Structures are given as structure tokens and as C-alpha cells.
Amino acid sequence: AQSVTQLDSQVPVFEEAPVELRCNYSSSVSVYLFWYVQYPNQGLQLLLKYLSGSTLVKGINGFEAEFNKSQTSFHLRKPSVHISDTAEYFCAVYDNQGGKLIFGQGTELSVKP
Amino acid sequence: GAVVSQHPSWVICKSGTSVKIECRSLDFQATTMFWYRQFPKQSLMLMATSNEGSKATYEQGVEKDKFLINHASLTLSTLTVTSAHPEDSSFYICSASGGVGEQFFGPGTRLTVL
């Protein structure tokens, strides 16, 4: 079965600094990967997704992620964060056999002024 | 496009009562919908997969008689928490399938059982 590991439960960072949120997935023949953001007391919003093609994926709000097959990673990055980026971020992989998303534990990004 | 709504956004009920939560896909048809439960500071836990016109598939450990799911149309799925107790208090989120692996999420429903 597929699995996802988000290596950092909390990432504090100062405003305008770069940030990387790490995500590793269990190996599979084909893999579809997603990053979602959740603001307090809200549902999840899709940031970006990798289905195939270019390994560098650009998403909304200035975020991007790189699919690295050899390291089975899909790290999320942003060159300069804003206070408004403070939220919970979830990495997910699509489980072909089960037809469902497998979520990581989440990373709380806290941007301080 | 791809908007999913949930109603109510929050609900407070007494122990022993039943609560129904609606999940609607507003601008697309959703053959498959999902119901999740989320505890504070934790990830989403999939409760069940709901397919239009058929019985829901529940994840291991989820009581299907406790959490009744109905997906009667391509735009509506409902979750009914029967005989709710304080331990059922949680944040419930639905999603609708859209494309390869992707899901569109509703805003969530905060259930508090007194």
C-alpha cells in the first residue's frame, strides 16, 4: 500500500524567507502526487499536483514542487513566504488500487513577522 | 469551477440525537464522494467512499450503522451521525472526485455533541 511521510510537523519561518516542506512517498510504478493547504476551520485547497511530465510543478500562491523519482520525494517550496501562508499543508499520493488519496501527517507552517 | 459545499458549517447537538451533514458538488457531477474525519492538529482520516446509486464502502474500524452515508444523486451525498455522543465531536470534511486522483474538498462541518 502507498504511504506518505511529511518529515516536519512544524516549520516556523520569518516573513519573506524561503521555505521547503518535505514529503516522501512509498515507491510505486506510477504515482500521482498532490499538495493541499488547509487554513483554520476550513477544507482543503489544492496547491499543485504532479501526474506526469515535467518534474517541476508550479502551483497557486507562488508555490512549486519538484518530483524526484530516485529519492521518492515531492518537496514543496516557496522562495518568499507571507504571513498569509500560515496554514497546515498536506502532501498526498493517489492509491491506484484503493482509488483514494493517502495523506501525510501534515506540516504546520507558521510565518512570523 | 469544481466547488463543493457542505451544510451545515457547524452544528451543536445533544447526546443521543442524530445529525445529518450534506455535501454538494455545485458545478459538476460527482460519481464518487469521500467522507473524512479530522481531529485537532491531525491529518484527515478517510471514513468511507460513496458512489452514486450504490452502498458506501467504509474503511476498517468505521461503524457503518453509526455513520450512515447516502449518495442518491450525482451532486449530493449525506452523512448521518446516528445517536451521536461526545466522542463523535469532530471536524467532518467531504470531497468529490474530479479527474485522476484529484479531489475537491468541501469547507467542513464542525460537529459538537454535548
Side-chain angles (χ1 to χ4, degrees), chain B residues 25-66:
Chain B
S25 57
L26 297 184
D27 49 3
F28 67 104
Q29 294 183 328
T31 306
T32 304
M33 289 184 170
F34 304 85
W35 286 96
Y36 296 86
R37 184 173 180 177
Q38 186 180 34
F39 293 104
K41 301 291 186 181
Q42 292 190 26
S43 189
L44 280 72
M45 182 190 79
L46 180 65
M47 299 173 67
T49 302
S50 162
N51 289 296
E52 187 266 337
S54 63
K55 291 184 178 180
T57 302
Y58 290 81
E59 294 298 301
Q60 192 170 9
V62 177
E63 301 174 61
K64 55 184 175 183
D65 294 332
K66 172 77 170 175

mmCIF file of all heavy atoms in Angstrom, chain B residues 25-66:
data_model
loop_
_atom_site.group_PDB
_atom_site.id
_atom_site.type_symbol
_atom_site.label_atom_id
_atom_site.label_comp_id
_atom_site.label_asym_id
_atom_site.label_seq_id
_atom_site.Cartn_x
_atom_site.Cartn_y
_atom_site.Cartn_z
ATOM 1 N N SER B 25 -21.843 18.902 -4.793
ATOM 2 C CA SER B 25 -20.969 19.418 -5.842
ATOM 3 C C SER B 25 -21.813 20.416 -6.629
ATOM 4 O O SER B 25 -22.861 20.072 -7.169
ATOM 5 C CB SER B 25 -20.473 18.280 -6.737
ATOM 6 O OG SER B 25 -21.542 17.566 -7.305
ATOM 7 N N LEU B 26 -21.367 21.669 -6.660
ATOM 8 C CA LEU B 26 -22.225 22.743 -7.165
ATOM 9 C C LEU B 26 -22.195 22.901 -8.678
ATOM 10 O O LEU B 26 -23.171 23.329 -9.277
ATOM 11 C CB LEU B 26 -21.835 24.066 -6.500
ATOM 12 C CG LEU B 26 -22.016 24.120 -4.986
ATOM 13 C CD1 LEU B 26 -21.701 25.515 -4.456
ATOM 14 C CD2 LEU B 26 -23.421 23.693 -4.586
ATOM 15 N N ASP B 27 -21.087 22.603 -9.313
ATOM 16 C CA ASP B 27 -20.972 22.896 -10.742
ATOM 17 C C ASP B 27 -20.430 21.729 -11.543
ATOM 18 O O ASP B 27 -19.967 21.903 -12.667
ATOM 19 C CB ASP B 27 -20.095 24.128 -10.955
ATOM 20 C CG ASP B 27 -18.784 24.030 -10.178
ATOM 21 O OD1 ASP B 27 -18.556 22.994 -9.529
ATOM 22 O OD2 ASP B 27 -17.993 24.984 -10.232
ATOM 23 N N PHE B 28 -20.500 20.541 -10.953
ATOM 24 C CA PHE B 28 -20.079 19.355 -11.688
ATOM 25 C C PHE B 28 -20.746 18.141 -11.067
ATOM 26 O O PHE B 28 -21.266 18.197 -9.946
ATOM 27 C CB PHE B 28 -18.553 19.198 -11.674
ATOM 28 C CG PHE B 28 -17.966 18.900 -10.303
ATOM 29 C CD1 PHE B 28 -17.538 17.626 -9.976
ATOM 30 C CD2 PHE B 28 -17.851 19.900 -9.350
ATOM 31 C CE1 PHE B 28 -16.999 17.355 -8.727
ATOM 32 C CE2 PHE B 28 -17.312 19.642 -8.096
ATOM 33 C CZ PHE B 28 -16.884 18.359 -7.781
ATOM 34 N N GLN B 29 -20.737 17.056 -11.804
ATOM 35 C CA GLN B 29 -21.330 15.827 -11.301
ATOM 36 C C GLN B 29 -20.254 14.951 -10.690
ATOM 37 O O GLN B 29 -19.193 14.754 -11.281
ATOM 38 C CB GLN B 29 -22.051 15.084 -12.436
ATOM 39 C CG GLN B 29 -23.254 15.854 -12.947
ATOM 40 C CD GLN B 29 -24.007 15.081 -14.023
ATOM 41 O OE1 GLN B 29 -23.420 14.323 -14.781
ATOM 42 N NE2 GLN B 29 -25.313 15.284 -14.089
ATOM 43 N N ALA B 30 -20.535 14.454 -9.515
ATOM 44 C CA ALA B 30 -19.550 13.673 -8.775
ATOM 45 C C ALA B 30 -20.034 12.241 -8.612
ATOM 46 O O ALA B 30 -20.908 11.975 -7.795
ATOM 47 C CB ALA B 30 -19.293 14.307 -7.407
ATOM 48 N N THR B 31 -19.447 11.360 -9.378
ATOM 49 C CA THR B 31 -19.799 9.948 -9.261
ATOM 50 C C THR B 31 -19.345 9.400 -7.910
ATOM 51 O O THR B 31 -20.023 8.563 -7.310
ATOM 52 C CB THR B 31 -19.129 9.132 -10.378
ATOM 53 O OG1 THR B 31 -19.460 9.699 -11.618
ATOM 54 C CG2 THR B 31 -19.576 7.679 -10.322
ATOM 55 N N THR B 32 -18.210 9.893 -7.469
ATOM 56 C CA THR B 32 -17.645 9.396 -6.212
ATOM 57 C C THR B 32 -17.404 10.558 -5.253
ATOM 58 O O THR B 32 -16.844 11.575 -5.642
ATOM 59 C CB THR B 32 -16.310 8.671 -6.459
ATOM 60 O OG1 THR B 32 -16.521 7.615 -7.401
ATOM 61 C CG2 THR B 32 -15.759 8.081 -5.163
ATOM 62 N N MET B 33 -17.830 10.371 -4.051
ATOM 63 C CA MET B 33 -17.563 11.342 -2.985
ATOM 64 C C MET B 33 -16.930 10.614 -1.804
ATOM 65 O O MET B 33 -17.109 9.409 -1.639
ATOM 66 C CB MET B 33 -18.838 12.052 -2.543
ATOM 67 C CG MET B 33 -19.369 13.036 -3.582
ATOM 68 S SD MET B 33 -20.802 13.938 -2.958
ATOM 69 C CE MET B 33 -20.993 15.189 -4.210
ATOM 70 N N PHE B 34 -16.198 11.380 -1.012
ATOM 71 C CA PHE B 34 -15.489 10.815 0.122
ATOM 72 C C PHE B 34 -15.865 11.580 1.393
ATOM 73 O O PHE B 34 -16.086 12.785 1.355
ATOM 74 C CB PHE B 34 -13.972 10.907 -0.085
ATOM 75 C CG PHE B 34 -13.484 10.264 -1.349
ATOM 76 C CD1 PHE B 34 -13.493 10.957 -2.550
ATOM 77 C CD2 PHE B 34 -13.007 8.961 -1.339
ATOM 78 C CE1 PHE B 34 -13.031 10.375 -3.723
ATOM 79 C CE2 PHE B 34 -12.548 8.365 -2.505
ATOM 80 C CZ PHE B 34 -12.564 9.069 -3.699
ATOM 81 N N TRP B 35 -15.872 10.859 2.498
ATOM 82 C CA TRP B 35 -16.105 11.484 3.797
ATOM 83 C C TRP B 35 -14.902 11.246 4.698
ATOM 84 O O TRP B 35 -14.424 10.121 4.839
ATOM 85 C CB TRP B 35 -17.364 10.920 4.453
ATOM 86 C CG TRP B 35 -18.620 11.428 3.807
ATOM 87 C CD1 TRP B 35 -19.355 10.811 2.840
ATOM 88 C CD2 TRP B 35 -19.269 12.672 4.081
ATOM 89 N NE1 TRP B 35 -20.424 11.604 2.493
ATOM 90 C CE2 TRP B 35 -20.404 12.751 3.236
ATOM 91 C CE3 TRP B 35 -19.010 13.734 4.961
ATOM 92 C CZ2 TRP B 35 -21.275 13.837 3.250
ATOM 93 C CZ3 TRP B 35 -19.874 14.816 4.969
ATOM 94 C CH2 TRP B 35 -20.996 14.864 4.118
ATOM 95 N N TYR B 36 -14.418 12.361 5.274
ATOM 96 C CA TYR B 36 -13.262 12.310 6.162
ATOM 97 C C TYR B 36 -13.645 12.861 7.532
ATOM 98 O O TYR B 36 -14.562 13.659 7.678
ATOM 99 C CB TYR B 36 -12.117 13.181 5.615
ATOM 100 C CG TYR B 36 -11.524 12.740 4.301
ATOM 101 C CD1 TYR B 36 -12.080 13.138 3.092
ATOM 102 C CD2 TYR B 36 -10.382 11.938 4.264
ATOM 103 C CE1 TYR B 36 -11.527 12.748 1.879
ATOM 104 C CE2 TYR B 36 -9.815 11.551 3.060
ATOM 105 C CZ TYR B 36 -10.399 11.963 1.876
ATOM 106 O OH TYR B 36 -9.841 11.586 0.680
ATOM 107 N N ARG B 37 -12.850 12.444 8.492
ATOM 108 C CA ARG B 37 -12.958 12.986 9.838
ATOM 109 C C ARG B 37 -11.578 13.514 10.219
ATOM 110 O O ARG B 37 -10.556 12.898 9.874
ATOM 111 C CB ARG B 37 -13.373 11.878 10.803
ATOM 112 C CG ARG B 37 -13.625 12.312 12.214
ATOM 113 C CD ARG B 37 -14.202 11.158 13.010
ATOM 114 N NE ARG B 37 -14.456 11.572 14.382
ATOM 115 C CZ ARG B 37 -15.011 10.813 15.304
ATOM 116 N NH1 ARG B 37 -15.378 9.572 15.016
ATOM 117 N NH2 ARG B 37 -15.210 11.272 16.509
ATOM 118 N N GLN B 38 -11.562 14.661 10.884
ATOM 119 C CA GLN B 38 -10.274 15.257 11.250
ATOM 120 C C GLN B 38 -10.316 15.705 12.696
ATOM 121 O O GLN B 38 -11.174 16.510 13.090
ATOM 122 C CB GLN B 38 -9.943 16.441 10.332
ATOM 123 C CG GLN B 38 -8.555 17.014 10.577
ATOM 124 C CD GLN B 38 -8.242 18.176 9.652
ATOM 125 O OE1 GLN B 38 -9.121 18.954 9.292
ATOM 126 N NE2 GLN B 38 -6.990 18.304 9.250
ATOM 127 N N PHE B 39 -9.395 15.192 13.488
ATOM 128 C CA PHE B 39 -9.242 15.632 14.867
ATOM 129 C C PHE B 39 -8.251 16.801 14.899
ATOM 130 O O PHE B 39 -7.440 16.955 13.980
ATOM 131 C CB PHE B 39 -8.761 14.470 15.748
ATOM 132 C CG PHE B 39 -9.791 13.389 15.894
ATOM 133 C CD1 PHE B 39 -9.669 12.196 15.189
ATOM 134 C CD2 PHE B 39 -10.880 13.557 16.725
ATOM 135 C CE1 PHE B 39 -10.628 11.200 15.316
ATOM 136 C CE2 PHE B 39 -11.839 12.563 16.855
ATOM 137 C CZ PHE B 39 -11.706 11.388 16.146
ATOM 138 N N PRO B 40 -8.326 17.614 15.953
ATOM 139 C CA PRO B 40 -7.442 18.790 16.034
ATOM 140 C C PRO B 40 -5.974 18.431 15.861
ATOM 141 O O PRO B 40 -5.488 17.462 16.442
ATOM 142 C CB PRO B 40 -7.722 19.339 17.444
ATOM 143 C CG PRO B 40 -9.112 18.889 17.741
ATOM 144 C CD PRO B 40 -9.239 17.547 17.098
ATOM 145 N N LYS B 41 -5.301 19.201 15.059
ATOM 146 C CA LYS B 41 -3.870 19.050 14.821
ATOM 147 C C LYS B 41 -3.513 17.693 14.211
ATOM 148 O O LYS B 41 -2.372 17.239 14.342
ATOM 149 C CB LYS B 41 -3.093 19.228 16.135
ATOM 150 C CG LYS B 41 -3.317 20.558 16.797
ATOM 151 C CD LYS B 41 -2.706 21.690 15.999
ATOM 152 C CE LYS B 41 -2.811 23.020 16.740
ATOM 153 N NZ LYS B 41 -2.243 24.138 15.959
ATOM 154 N N GLN B 42 -4.450 17.070 13.538
ATOM 155 C CA GLN B 42 -4.172 15.778 12.917
ATOM 156 C C GLN B 42 -4.545 15.794 11.443
ATOM 157 O O GLN B 42 -5.178 16.725 10.949
ATOM 158 C CB GLN B 42 -4.937 14.664 13.643
ATOM 159 C CG GLN B 42 -4.457 14.407 15.053
ATOM 160 C CD GLN B 42 -5.058 13.148 15.637
ATOM 161 O OE1 GLN B 42 -5.432 12.219 14.928
ATOM 162 N NE2 GLN B 42 -5.136 13.108 16.957
ATOM 163 N N SER B 43 -4.138 14.750 10.773
ATOM 164 C CA SER B 43 -4.433 14.627 9.348
ATOM 165 C C SER B 43 -5.866 14.153 9.137
ATOM 166 O O SER B 43 -6.599 13.897 10.094
ATOM 167 C CB SER B 43 -3.453 13.642 8.712
ATOM 168 O OG SER B 43 -3.586 13.655 7.308
ATOM 169 N N LEU B 44 -6.260 14.050 7.890
ATOM 170 C CA LEU B 44 -7.598 13.572 7.559
ATOM 171 C C LEU B 44 -7.635 12.046 7.650
ATOM 172 O O LEU B 44 -6.717 11.364 7.197
ATOM 173 C CB LEU B 44 -7.978 13.988 6.135
ATOM 174 C CG LEU B 44 -8.460 15.424 5.949
ATOM 175 C CD1 LEU B 44 -7.323 16.406 6.095
ATOM 176 C CD2 LEU B 44 -9.124 15.584 4.589
ATOM 177 N N MET B 45 -8.732 11.551 8.204
ATOM 178 C CA MET B 45 -8.926 10.114 8.275
ATOM 179 C C MET B 45 -10.111 9.762 7.391
ATOM 180 O O MET B 45 -11.228 10.219 7.631
ATOM 181 C CB MET B 45 -9.210 9.684 9.716
ATOM 182 C CG MET B 45 -9.388 8.179 9.883
ATOM 183 S SD MET B 45 -10.007 7.724 11.513
ATOM 184 C CE MET B 45 -11.754 8.089 11.330
ATOM 185 N N LEU B 46 -9.868 8.967 6.354
ATOM 186 C CA LEU B 46 -10.944 8.586 5.455
ATOM 187 C C LEU B 46 -11.911 7.671 6.190
ATOM 188 O O LEU B 46 -11.507 6.664 6.778
ATOM 189 C CB LEU B 46 -10.391 7.881 4.217
ATOM 190 C CG LEU B 46 -11.425 7.420 3.192
ATOM 191 C CD1 LEU B 46 -12.146 8.620 2.576
ATOM 192 C CD2 LEU B 46 -10.753 6.582 2.093
ATOM 193 N N MET B 47 -13.199 8.033 6.136
ATOM 194 C CA MET B 47 -14.220 7.207 6.772
ATOM 195 C C MET B 47 -14.847 6.264 5.759
ATOM 196 O O MET B 47 -15.029 5.080 6.042
ATOM 197 C CB MET B 47 -15.313 8.090 7.376
ATOM 198 C CG MET B 47 -14.834 9.042 8.445
ATOM 199 S SD MET B 47 -16.122 10.170 8.952
ATOM 200 C CE MET B 47 -17.268 9.054 9.735
ATOM 201 N N ALA B 48 -15.201 6.814 4.589
ATOM 202 C CA ALA B 48 -15.906 5.992 3.612
ATOM 203 C C ALA B 48 -15.854 6.638 2.246
ATOM 204 O O ALA B 48 -15.646 7.846 2.106
ATOM 205 C CB ALA B 48 -17.355 5.805 4.038
ATOM 206 N N THR B 49 -16.019 5.785 1.252
ATOM 207 C CA THR B 49 -16.119 6.212 -0.152
ATOM 208 C C THR B 49 -17.551 5.975 -0.591
ATOM 209 O O THR B 49 -18.094 4.876 -0.407
ATOM 210 C CB THR B 49 -15.156 5.407 -1.024
ATOM 211 O OG1 THR B 49 -13.817 5.576 -0.531
ATOM 212 C CG2 THR B 49 -15.229 5.853 -2.468
ATOM 213 N N SER B 50 -18.126 7.005 -1.172
ATOM 214 C CA SER B 50 -19.537 6.954 -1.547
ATOM 215 C C SER B 50 -19.679 7.029 -3.063
ATOM 216 O O SER B 50 -19.181 7.964 -3.677
ATOM 217 C CB SER B 50 -20.233 8.147 -0.875
ATOM 218 O OG SER B 50 -21.453 8.448 -1.462
ATOM 219 N N ASN B 51 -20.325 6.056 -3.645
ATOM 220 C CA ASN B 51 -20.574 6.052 -5.084
ATOM 221 C C ASN B 51 -22.056 6.217 -5.348
ATOM 222 O O ASN B 51 -22.886 5.587 -4.698
ATOM 223 C CB ASN B 51 -20.084 4.757 -5.708
ATOM 224 C CG ASN B 51 -18.574 4.673 -5.730
ATOM 225 O OD1 ASN B 51 -17.902 5.452 -6.390
ATOM 226 N ND2 ASN B 51 -18.023 3.736 -4.988
ATOM 227 N N GLU B 52 -22.375 7.063 -6.295
ATOM 228 C CA GLU B 52 -23.763 7.368 -6.600
ATOM 229 C C GLU B 52 -24.532 6.103 -6.948
ATOM 230 O O GLU B 52 -24.099 5.309 -7.789
ATOM 231 C CB GLU B 52 -23.824 8.384 -7.750
ATOM 232 C CG GLU B 52 -25.216 8.896 -8.053
ATOM 233 C CD GLU B 52 -25.902 8.102 -9.144
ATOM 234 O OE1 GLU B 52 -25.218 7.466 -9.950
ATOM 235 O OE2 GLU B 52 -27.151 8.135 -9.191
ATOM 236 N N GLY B 53 -25.642 5.910 -6.281
ATOM 237 C CA GLY B 53 -26.514 4.795 -6.582
ATOM 238 C C GLY B 53 -26.124 3.467 -5.980
ATOM 239 O O GLY B 53 -26.797 2.456 -6.228
ATOM 240 N N SER B 54 -25.073 3.430 -5.189
ATOM 241 C CA SER B 54 -24.678 2.167 -4.564
ATOM 242 C C SER B 54 -24.284 2.393 -3.102
ATOM 243 O O SER B 54 -24.170 3.525 -2.653
ATOM 244 C CB SER B 54 -23.524 1.520 -5.327
ATOM 245 O OG SER B 54 -22.386 2.349 -5.289
ATOM 246 N N LYS B 55 -24.092 1.291 -2.410
ATOM 247 C CA LYS B 55 -23.735 1.400 -0.996
ATOM 248 C C LYS B 55 -22.320 1.939 -0.830
ATOM 249 O O LYS B 55 -21.438 1.660 -1.639
ATOM 250 C CB LYS B 55 -23.850 0.028 -0.328
ATOM 251 C CG LYS B 55 -25.277 -0.475 -0.200
ATOM 252 C CD LYS B 55 -25.311 -1.799 0.559
ATOM 253 C CE LYS B 55 -26.748 -2.284 0.732
ATOM 254 N NZ LYS B 55 -26.819 -3.572 1.469
ATOM 255 N N ALA B 56 -22.136 2.673 0.245
ATOM 256 C CA ALA B 56 -20.817 3.231 0.518
ATOM 257 C C ALA B 56 -19.850 2.140 0.963
ATOM 258 O O ALA B 56 -20.259 1.112 1.519
ATOM 259 C CB ALA B 56 -20.922 4.297 1.605
ATOM 260 N N THR B 57 -18.596 2.374 0.709
ATOM 261 C CA THR B 57 -17.543 1.469 1.166
ATOM 262 C C THR B 57 -16.865 2.100 2.369
ATOM 263 O O THR B 57 -16.267 3.180 2.246
ATOM 264 C CB THR B 57 -16.503 1.239 0.052
ATOM 265 O OG1 THR B 57 -17.162 0.707 -1.091
ATOM 266 C CG2 THR B 57 -15.423 0.276 0.530
ATOM 267 N N TYR B 58 -16.933 1.451 3.498
ATOM 268 C CA TYR B 58 -16.409 2.010 4.737
ATOM 269 C C TYR B 58 -14.988 1.506 5.001
ATOM 270 O O TYR B 58 -14.654 0.369 4.694
ATOM 271 C CB TYR B 58 -17.303 1.631 5.920
ATOM 272 C CG TYR B 58 -18.643 2.325 5.901
ATOM 273 C CD1 TYR B 58 -19.692 1.853 5.116
ATOM 274 C CD2 TYR B 58 -18.861 3.469 6.662
ATOM 275 C CE1 TYR B 58 -20.914 2.500 5.076
ATOM 276 C CE2 TYR B 58 -20.089 4.115 6.644
ATOM 277 C CZ TYR B 58 -21.107 3.623 5.846
ATOM 278 O OH TYR B 58 -22.316 4.279 5.814
ATOM 279 N N GLU B 59 -14.190 2.388 5.587
ATOM 280 C CA GLU B 59 -12.839 1.998 5.979
ATOM 281 C C GLU B 59 -12.905 1.129 7.232
ATOM 282 O O GLU B 59 -13.882 1.176 8.001
ATOM 283 C CB GLU B 59 -11.981 3.235 6.233
ATOM 284 C CG GLU B 59 -11.730 4.067 4.990
ATOM 285 C CD GLU B 59 -10.979 3.320 3.921
ATOM 286 O OE1 GLU B 59 -9.846 2.869 4.189
ATOM 287 O OE2 GLU B 59 -11.524 3.192 2.793
ATOM 288 N N GLN B 60 -11.856 0.363 7.403
ATOM 289 C CA GLN B 60 -11.803 -0.527 8.557
ATOM 290 C C GLN B 60 -11.910 0.265 9.847
ATOM 291 O O GLN B 60 -11.239 1.282 10.017
ATOM 292 C CB GLN B 60 -10.483 -1.310 8.532
ATOM 293 C CG GLN B 60 -10.438 -2.470 9.506
ATOM 294 C CD GLN B 60 -9.215 -3.343 9.275
ATOM 295 O OE1 GLN B 60 -8.325 -2.991 8.496
ATOM 296 N NE2 GLN B 60 -9.170 -4.475 9.936
ATOM 297 N N GLY B 61 -12.758 -0.203 10.747
ATOM 298 C CA GLY B 61 -12.911 0.447 12.038
ATOM 299 C C GLY B 61 -14.002 1.496 12.078
ATOM 300 O O GLY B 61 -14.310 2.016 13.154
ATOM 301 N N VAL B 62 -14.593 1.830 10.947
ATOM 302 C CA VAL B 62 -15.678 2.815 10.915
ATOM 303 C C VAL B 62 -17.007 2.076 10.961
ATOM 304 O O VAL B 62 -17.272 1.208 10.127
ATOM 305 C CB VAL B 62 -15.595 3.678 9.641
ATOM 306 C CG1 VAL B 62 -16.762 4.660 9.582
ATOM 307 C CG2 VAL B 62 -14.264 4.413 9.589
ATOM 308 N N GLU B 63 -17.846 2.447 11.924
ATOM 309 C CA GLU B 63 -19.125 1.745 12.090
ATOM 310 C C GLU B 63 -20.139 2.248 11.068
ATOM 311 O O GLU B 63 -20.588 3.404 11.141
ATOM 312 C CB GLU B 63 -19.667 1.994 13.496
ATOM 313 C CG GLU B 63 -18.766 1.545 14.629
ATOM 314 C CD GLU B 63 -19.355 1.969 15.963
ATOM 315 O OE1 GLU B 63 -20.476 1.523 16.280
ATOM 316 O OE2 GLU B 63 -18.709 2.753 16.693
ATOM 317 N N LYS B 64 -20.541 1.399 10.164
ATOM 318 C CA LYS B 64 -21.465 1.843 9.121
ATOM 319 C C LYS B 64 -22.864 2.102 9.656
ATOM 320 O O LYS B 64 -23.617 2.881 9.063
ATOM 321 C CB LYS B 64 -21.507 0.844 7.975
ATOM 322 C CG LYS B 64 -21.846 -0.568 8.365
ATOM 323 C CD LYS B 64 -21.738 -1.464 7.120
ATOM 324 C CE LYS B 64 -21.949 -2.915 7.470
ATOM 325 N NZ LYS B 64 -21.769 -3.793 6.282
ATOM 326 N N ASP B 65 -23.237 1.480 10.760
ATOM 327 C CA ASP B 65 -24.551 1.748 11.336
ATOM 328 C C ASP B 65 -24.555 3.046 12.127
ATOM 329 O O ASP B 65 -25.610 3.607 12.406
ATOM 330 C CB ASP B 65 -24.966 0.594 12.251
ATOM 331 C CG ASP B 65 -25.185 -0.691 11.484
ATOM 332 O OD1 ASP B 65 -25.541 -0.598 10.283
ATOM 333 O OD2 ASP B 65 -24.990 -1.774 12.054
ATOM 334 N N LYS B 66 -23.381 3.494 12.467
ATOM 335 C CA LYS B 66 -23.230 4.738 13.221
ATOM 336 C C LYS B 66 -23.159 5.926 12.266
ATOM 337 O O LYS B 66 -23.735 6.975 12.514
ATOM 338 C CB LYS B 66 -21.940 4.657 14.031
ATOM 339 C CG LYS B 66 -21.521 5.914 14.730
ATOM 340 C CD LYS B 66 -22.349 6.110 15.968
ATOM 341 C CE LYS B 66 -21.788 7.236 16.806
ATOM 342 N NZ LYS B 66 -22.668 7.504 17.958
#
